[in-house]
Amino acid sequence: MNKTLLFLTVLVIATCGLIYELIVGTLASYLLGDSITQFSTVIGGYLFAMGIGSYLSRFVERGVAQRFVEIELAVALFGGLCAPMLFLTFTLTSVFPVVLYGTVLLIGTLVGLEIPLLLRILQDQLKFKDLVSQVLTFDYLGALAASVAFPLLLVPKLGLVRTSLLFGLLNAAVGLWSTWLLAPVLANPLRLRIKAVLLCMGLLVCFAMGDRLNTFYEDQLYADEVVHASSSPYQRIIVTRGKRGFSLFLNGNLQFASIDEYRYHEPLVHPAMGRARKVEHVLILGGGDGLAAREVLRYPEVKSVTLVDLDPAITQLATGYKELAVLNGHALTHPKVRVINTDAMQFLTEGTGTWDVVVVDFPDPNNFALGKLYTTGFYKILKKRLAPDGVAVIQSTSPLFARRSFWCVETTLKAAGFWTQPYHALVPSFGEWGYVMVALEPPGRHRPLPEGLLFLDEHTLEALTRFPPDMAPLPAEVNRLNNQVLVHYYEEEWRRWN
């Protein structure tokens, strides 16, 4: 037996095993939300299942090499098909969680069987201390390779479905070459080779059809036709088109619908722009679609707009996707606009200077990565970067559907030392939506609304700050980085409506 190739087998096995774990965790967070919960339960379940597999390996007493190859082919089959199968289950059935965790347990158990069996195959080739140290070294190296390649290369370039199929194919190839490496101790290598070749061919065909499979799944998930689909290291980006125009979805969550987005973006921008003493320098955090920037550019006094959005794929879509570029008035290519693709908290912490108006247009706090951008820590950083007579506005989810979450944002802003003015507007695609305007001191009214608005006028503007009883203030805890209570509020409240 070639020990070098067997250790390479360990490397591939470890890489594939972690890739399947990451695929299932990512897919669960895309489809179910709350990435922290999904990854925690998937990783915990997977490691538990690997423990089961390791324990079960003790019952394999004969034909260890034969069982190893068979298990490798089983991992290739179930791991390679895990993403297509889970997408299909989600779109066509109501038992997705059962299939999800069943998949985790099945693949984890099979992967847990592999290394103990391989150790037993190699036990006559090396001393025990060398055997364990070298096998575990390659195992951990494989895990490192997977964890780096998955977010930086595999998901952006291949997507989840093709990544799953590619690593299934890689597992099948390992099973195939193992029939030669272990031929002296295999009872029937020819039969295993035939199985491995057929499995490789099947997975290769599925890989070649990856785009068609993705199109089928996403057509089932979205009511309108999918006209653009891509993945970035941060999210799955979908654009759909129907009778009412086009819509943008990130990780399955609606960001805007072209038919009524103005009812969201006009209230987001103009109340703050009207109350700031100056509007020469404006900062937009988030808003990579360019629609908030479009509204800011209605003011001729604006000299510069700095837009900070984490994902370059979104800002590229806002300039490269024709319909969106037209909708945002080509705002991101306007000479007054500078686009920076970086983390908003890092930008505020490391930069200098202040802004007259800051528009905070982050996605809702549906996970802890986003929840940190709604904490007192973030707002205190923001406070330092706001001009003394400046005004900021924060989109703050729905005061109707997530009432306590909305007032939690307002409570947190007050705790950070801001004067606050909560308000809301009806956006048909979302329902009642909430915002909180903030300043260091109560601002006056310095300029009228610009001409050409479709939703806001002076009467409408005044009515935005009135809250009916079902959206009236509720007591809420302050959202801090070490408790992230807002994420828990948000998850609990929105669950009732989904």
Side-chain angles (χ1 to χ4, degrees):
M1 284 182 279
N2 189 313
K3 288 183 290 186
T4 301
L5 288 179
L6 282 171
F7 286 127
L8 179 61
T9 297
V10 175
L11 181 69
V12 174
I13 287 172
T15 304
C16 292
L18 187 58
I19 289 292
Y20 300 140
E21 184 179 356
L22 292 171
I23 286 170
V24 175
T26 303
L27 196 149
S29 68
Y30 279 7
L31 299 178
L32 300 178
D34 188 2
S35 59
I36 299 296
T37 298
Q38 303 311 324
F39 269 102
S40 294
T41 54
V42 167
I43 291 172
Y46 191 84
L47 292 175
F48 170 71
M50 287 182 66
I52 293 175
S54 296
Y55 176 78
L56 293 177
S57 68
R58 65 184 296 186
F59 298 106
V60 180
E61 296 181 354
R62 297 180 181 179
V64 173
Q66 184 87 8
R67 297 294 172 263
F68 170 77
V69 176
E70 291 171 348
I71 289 167
E72 186 66 17
L73 295 180
V75 172
L77 176 63
F78 294 109
L81 294 177
C82 68
M85 179 181 64
L86 288 171
F87 270 122
L88 189 65
T89 303
F90 184 82
T91 56
L92 299 181
T93 75
S94 59
V95 295
F96 177 74
V98 175
V99 177
L100 173 72
Y101 292 105
T103 301
V104 169
L105 292 174
L106 176 60
I107 297 175
T109 301
L110 291 171
V111 172
L113 280 162
E114 290 178 303
I115 297 300
L117 295 182
L118 195 56
L119 284 169
R120 288 164 62 182
I121 292 169
L122 286 166
Q123 65 184 349
D124 295 330
Q125 308 294 313
L126 294 167
K127 294 180 180 179
F128 179 75
K129 64 176 184 177
D130 294 330
L131 173 62
V132 173
S133 64
Q134 292 186 43
V135 167
L136 292 182
T137 296
F138 280 93
D139 187 40
Y140 296 143
L141 285 174
L144 174 64
S147 63
V148 172
F150 185 77
L152 300 181
L153 179 64
L154 297 171
V155 173
K157 300 298 183 183
L158 296 178
L160 293 178
V161 170
R162 278 191 162 177
T163 297
S164 170
L165 292 165
L166 175 64
F167 279 83
L169 190 58
L170 193 55
N171 263 135
V174 168
L176 182 58
W177 88 43
S178 295
T179 62
W180 276 278
L181 287 176
L182 304 174
V185 290
L186 289 175
N188 195 332
L190 180 59
R191 180 180 296 177
L192 290 174
R193 286 169 193 164
I194 292 171
K195 290 180 180 179
V197 169
L198 291 175
L199 182 55
C200 286
M201 292 173 61
L203 291 170
L204 192 59
V205 169
C206 291
F207 182 82
M209 296 174 60
D211 288 340
R212 293 183 184 179
L213 291 172
N214 272 327
T215 300
F216 172 77
Y217 301 139
E218 287 167 346
D219 283 346
Q220 304 303 312
L221 286 172
Y222 300 98
D224 294 327
E225 177 190 6
V226 175
V227 294
H228 172 87
S230 62
S231 295
S232 77
Y234 307 103
Q235 55 208 339
R236 182 67 173 166
I237 304 164
I238 299 291
V239 179
T240 66
R241 185 189 293 116
K243 294 180 180 179
R244 300 184 304 150
F246 69 97
S247 301
L248 174 67
F249 294 83
L250 300 180
N251 289 348
N253 299 309
L254 178 65
Q255 304 304 299
F256 71 80
S258 61
I259 192 171
D260 62 6
E261 55 77 20
Y262 65 91
R263 291 184 69 101
Y264 170 86
H265 289 100
E266 288 182 11
L268 174 69
V269 171
H270 297 296
M273 294 290 285
R275 300 289 292 272
R277 187 172 294 278
K278 295 190 301 180
V279 294
E280 292 180 356
H281 303 290
V282 179
L283 173 65
I284 301 173
L285 300 176
D289 51 38
L291 297 171
R294 176 197 66 196
E295 297 301 320
V296 169
L297 290 171
R298 290 181 184 272
Y299 296 83
E301 310 101 297
V302 171
K303 293 182 179 179
S304 71
V305 180
T306 302
L307 187 147
V308 179
D309 193 287
L310 179 63
D311 194 348
I314 297 297
T315 51
Q316 290 165 11
L317 185 74
T319 57
Y321 188 74
K322 183 177 180 181
E323 285 183 281
L324 179 52
V326 170
L327 186 65
N328 66 37
H330 301 279
L332 298 194
T333 55
H334 194 284
K336 293 182 179 180
V337 176
R338 180 172 65 128
V339 176
I340 301 173
N341 295 118
T342 190
D343 178 80
M345 183 174 282
Q346 181 180 347
F347 174 81
L348 290 178
T349 302
E350 297 178 355
T352 58
T354 60
W355 280 270
D356 301 317
V357 178
V358 180
V359 178
V360 182
D361 190 19
F362 295 139
D364 273 9
N366 57 18
N367 60 57
F368 293 106
L370 291 169
K372 74 174 184 179
L373 303 175
Y374 290 80
T375 60
T376 50
F378 179 81
Y379 292 144
K380 286 178 180 178
I381 296 170
L382 174 63
K383 187 179 176 184
K384 295 177 181 177
R385 308 303 300 279
L386 191 63
D389 53 0
V391 177
V393 60
I394 292 88
Q395 91 78 14
S396 306
T397 196
S398 171
L400 178 62
F401 301 127
R403 184 176 169 190
R404 196 175 301 274
S405 300
F406 175 80
W407 292 108
C408 176
V409 175
E410 198 256 355
T411 299
T412 303
L413 286 161
K414 280 185 175 178
F418 282 112
W419 166 88
T420 64
Q421 175 63 74
Y423 62 99
H424 65 98
L426 176 63
V427 184
S429 292
F430 296 108
E432 288 288 347
W433 213 256
Y435 314 82
V436 182
M437 186 194 310
V438 301
L440 304 183
E441 299 290 341
R445 182 74 184 276
H446 297 287
R447 62 189 52 76
L449 294 168
E451 295 181 359
L453 300 186
L454 299 175
F455 172 52
L456 286 184
D457 59 21
E458 296 301 328
H459 297 293
T460 308
L461 190 61
E462 183 180 350
L464 296 184
T465 59
R466 299 171 187 162
F467 286 83
D470 61 351
M471 295 191 292
L474 283 177
E477 292 185 52
V478 174
N479 188 45
R480 303 184 189 278
L481 193 59
N482 69 336
N483 68 2
Q484 293 262 26
V485 66
L486 175 59
V487 177
H488 299 293
Y489 285 154
Y490 184 92
E491 180 181 321
E492 179 183 348
E493 291 181 308
W494 277 102
R495 191 185 295 127
R496 296 199 304 263
W497 300 92
N498 294 330

